[in-house]
Each structure stands twice: as structure tokens, then as C-alpha cells.
Amino acid sequence: HRRAGIVALIALPATQTRAAVLGLAAALVVLMFQSREATTRRIAGRVLGLGGSAFLILTLAGVHDSFGLLTKFKATADVTAGNGAYRISTIQTAMGDLRTPSQWVFGLGSNSFSQRHFDTSRPTEAFSAYLVNLPVQVLYDTGIIGVIILSLLTLNLLRICNFSPKAIAILAAFAVVSSSTSPF
């Protein structure tokens, strides 16, 4: 487990996948506060503290970012331009498509967003758009019924795991990642 954890801590930032890094941070926060094992709490807190401190120091020091890593992670919170604006725009478009009560209850069908819309980030190409947020995708495709079914399955999974801190940490990480981008 320790070797896998070390590899994950190195690999996740190297992938430059912001959602994965945010998911890791969410899981570490849950483990830091919820784990029954003191060693796990200490390690999670140290990793979170070191990672956050390194990011702040490098950002505030104005270190030359030749690979664009810091710039990319700083732009995560910007929803007025670039990727953030595109994500907000697709979510607003999806919510606008759900017009009738039956569409809200039953959804519009699996992967139907890409059949209705083109990717606005590629205006010169006829490229199908996709929903960048899994909870919105579930609502759009399957409606409130699908959201309820997914919620019940999640609660059942947690019940089977006796609401263990590790299961909650994994779920927290998945919730952050799936809200930041669609794993599908």
C-alpha cells in the first residue's frame, strides 16, 4: 500500500489532471479527519500540508513555470475563460435542454447531449459536445430517477462498507473528480 501511495502521489500531479489532484486532496482531507488509524491521519495530513505548501510557495515566489504546471493548476478556479467557461457553458446548455417535467423525471436518453450539440470550443469543426460533469450527465441522460438510483446504490455501497473512513475517502475523491470532469 505504501509503494502504491508513493507512486500515486508522484503520478497524479505529473499527469497534469487537475480533477485527479483535487480528488486526491479531497480523499486526504477525509482520511485526515475520519481515519481510525493515527498513522493514516498523520500521513494524510503531512502529504496534504506538504503539497499545499509547495504549491503556495512556488506560486507566491513566482517561480518560472517552463512546463505550465502551476499556470494550469492556478487556472482551475477561473470560470470566466478557457476550460472553466466551457464547462459552465455546457452545464447551462444541458439544464436548458431539460424543459418538461417528463424530461426532468426520465432524462433525455443515454449520450444524447452529443447528438444535440456541437463542441463550441472547436467552432471550425463539427465535433460532438460532451457533458463535462458526471452528476449533470446522469441527470441529463436518466433524469431524477437515475439520480435516485445512483444515490441509493452509493448509500448501499457505503452501508456494505460500514461507512468506513476509507470508503468515504474514496467516494469523496470520486465525487470531486466526477464533478470536475466526466470519467465517461
Side-chain angles (χ1 to χ4, degrees):
H1 288 119
R2 285 187 183 165
R3 283 186 228 130
I6 291 168
V7 169
L9 291 174
I10 294 168
L12 284 178
T15 64
Q16 296 188 35
T17 305
R18 292 171 288 201
V21 173
L22 291 173
L24 174 65
L28 288 172
V29 168
V30 170
L31 284 176
M32 192 171 67
F33 290 109
Q34 295 293 320
S35 181
R36 292 182 193 116
E37 302 164 6
T39 305
T40 303
R41 288 195 308 268
R42 275 195 306 274
I43 290 171
R46 287 177 184 160
V47 169
L48 195 60
L50 287 171
S53 298
F55 180 76
L56 280 173
I57 289 168
L58 292 173
T59 301
L60 295 175
V63 173
H64 178 66
D65 190 12
S66 59
F67 294 111
L69 289 172
L70 292 175
T71 305
K72 183 175 182 175
F73 284 104
K74 282 191 282 187
T76 300
D78 184 12
V79 294
T80 60
N83 199 346
Y86 175 75
R87 290 171 188 276
I88 296 296
S89 171
T90 57
I91 290 170
Q92 289 172 337
T93 301
M95 293 297 103
D97 286 351
L98 297 170
R99 293 184 187 103
T100 67
S102 67
Q103 290 174 335
W104 277 97
V105 172
F106 299 108
L108 296 170
S110 182
N111 201 29
S112 59
F113 187 81
S114 64
Q115 297 169 8
R116 290 182 174 83
H117 302 285
F118 288 112
D119 188 345
T120 57
S121 68
R122 301 176 183 187
T124 60
E125 305 171 44
F127 198 80
S128 295
Y130 66 96
L131 285 170
V132 296
N133 180 302
L134 185 60
V136 172
Q137 183 180 359
V138 170
L139 177 64
Y140 189 90
D141 291 350
T142 63
I144 294 171
I145 289 176
V147 171
I148 291 170
I149 290 170
L150 185 62
S151 299
L152 290 173
L153 287 170
T154 302
L155 285 172
N156 190 46
L157 178 67
L158 285 172
R159 184 187 61 78
I160 290 169
C161 295
N162 295 320
F163 293 90
S164 75
K166 290 179 182 178
I168 294 170
I170 290 170
L171 183 62
F174 183 74
V176 169
V177 170
S178 67
S179 296
S180 303
T181 187
S182 176
F184 296 143

